């Protein structure tokens, strides 16, 4: 965060989760390139690469990095690539209603 990063995302972005229900974030299934571990990838897309991330988004990611609780997804990685912020967490389990 805080600037363009040149390294590639070390995760493979898979299919989009259609019923996520957020206007700002998109959720994708993914897996680690090195170990193939399943992950969830949240993507926040800015309207242009020059646009700064909203302070709320930066603050949420900063807090998620340090938060440890059994009922909160475990943060794995995050990075800005072009006009998107990628936040990688442990896999989001499907909830049955």
């Amino acid at each position: 965060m805080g600037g363009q990063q040149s390294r590639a995302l070390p995760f493979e972005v898979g299919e989009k989760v259609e019923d996520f229900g957020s206007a700002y974030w998109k959720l994708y299934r993914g897996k680690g390139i090195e170990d193939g571990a399943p992950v969830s990838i949240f993507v926040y897309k800015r309207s242009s690469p020059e646009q700064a991330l909203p302070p709320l988004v930066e603050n949420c990611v900063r807090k998620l990095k340090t938060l440890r609780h059994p009922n909160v997804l475990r943060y794995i990685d995050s990075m800005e690539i072009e006009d998107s912020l990628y936040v990688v967490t442990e896999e989001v389990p499907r909830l049955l209603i």
Side-chain angles (χ1 to χ4, degrees), residues 42-91:
F42 294 85
V43 180
Y44 178 87
K45 189 167 180 89
R46 297 177 290 195
S47 56
S48 73
E50 295 80 31
Q51 178 188 14
L53 286 172
L56 179 62
V57 173
E58 286 192 4
N59 189 38
C60 288
V61 174
R62 192 175 312 113
K63 297 276 188 209
L64 184 60
K65 287 181 180 181
T66 61
L67 189 60
R68 300 290 181 263
H69 189 279
N71 296 332
V72 176
L73 291 172
R74 183 176 53 87
Y75 170 89
I76 297 174
D77 196 3
S78 64
M79 76 176 41
E80 289 181 64
I81 300 177
E82 296 177 12
D83 62 348
S84 299
L85 169 66
Y86 294 82
V87 179
V88 182
T89 67
E90 67 181 310
E91 184 176 31

